């Protein structure tokens, strides 16, 4: 199959998808080791139908409660900053508090996120 045919098939398929799904597909393909159109086409063909429960991205919630996706470099930077702060101050959130909070998510008695 020629690159032109593949591009046309991809275009036709992408036009039917929600923009956020297209963004996730492109980010997945662009961050993979391969740059072949055939690989992108396979991602497109093999993608599961996304639902709220199965669509996860790394990011953070801003003050207006909007999801702000983070790049891998931003995630690494935030992790390094958190580690440096911990090493400097020795303070952190106890594991049992995090576990209690995580276990409460989705229940009628959700606990506030420990800080």
């Amino acid at each position: 199959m020629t690159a032109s045919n593949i591009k046309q098939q991809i275009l036709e398929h992408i036009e039917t998808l929600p923009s956020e799904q297209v963004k996730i597909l492109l980010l997945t393909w662009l961050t993979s080791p391969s740059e072949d159109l055939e690989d992108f086409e396979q991602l497109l063909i093999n993608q599961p139908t996304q639902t709220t429960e199965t669509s996860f991205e790394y990011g953070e919630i801003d003050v207006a409660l909007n999801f702000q996706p983070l790049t891998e470099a931003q995630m690494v930077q935030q992790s390094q900053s958190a580690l440096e702060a911990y090493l400097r101050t020795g303070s952190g959130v106890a594991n049992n508090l995090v576990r209690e909070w995580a276990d409460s998510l989705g229940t009628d008695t959700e606990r506030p996120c420990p800080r």
Side-chain angles (χ1 to χ4, degrees):
M1 187 174 295
T2 68
S4 179
N5 290 345
I6 293 173
K7 284 182 182 180
Q8 184 60 37
Q9 286 182 344
I10 290 172
L11 176 63
E12 289 169 4
H13 195 90
I14 284 180
E15 288 176 333
T16 65
L17 298 175
S19 61
E20 192 61 30
Q21 207 167 350
V22 173
K23 180 179 174 183
I24 291 168
L25 280 168
L26 280 172
L27 287 172
T28 302
W29 180 62
L30 290 172
T31 56
S32 73
S34 176
E35 297 177 2
D36 294 336
L37 279 177
E38 289 88 359
D39 292 335
F40 182 75
E41 183 182 33
Q42 285 305 309
L43 270 177
L44 199 56
I45 291 168
N46 295 328
Q47 75 171 5
T49 304
Q50 290 188 334
T51 64
T52 305
E53 293 80 28
T54 60
S55 177
F56 295 105
E57 260 186 277
Y58 292 103
E60 61 185 18
I61 306 294
D62 68 15
V63 293
L65 297 180
N66 295 313
F67 187 76
Q68 301 298 315
L70 298 175
T71 65
E72 184 174 351
Q74 289 170 319
M75 287 186 282
V76 168
Q77 178 58 45
Q78 282 189 357
S79 297
Q80 287 174 336
S81 295
L83 176 60
E84 289 168 7
Y86 172 76
L87 293 174
R88 212 176 33 255
T89 65
S91 68
V93 179
N95 181 52
N96 64 319
L97 296 176
V98 174
R99 181 178 301 276
E100 289 171 8
W101 166 73
D103 288 343
S104 77
L105 294 177
T107 68
D108 292 337
T109 56
E110 282 191 15
R111 303 173 66 99
C113 181
R115 300 236 176 240

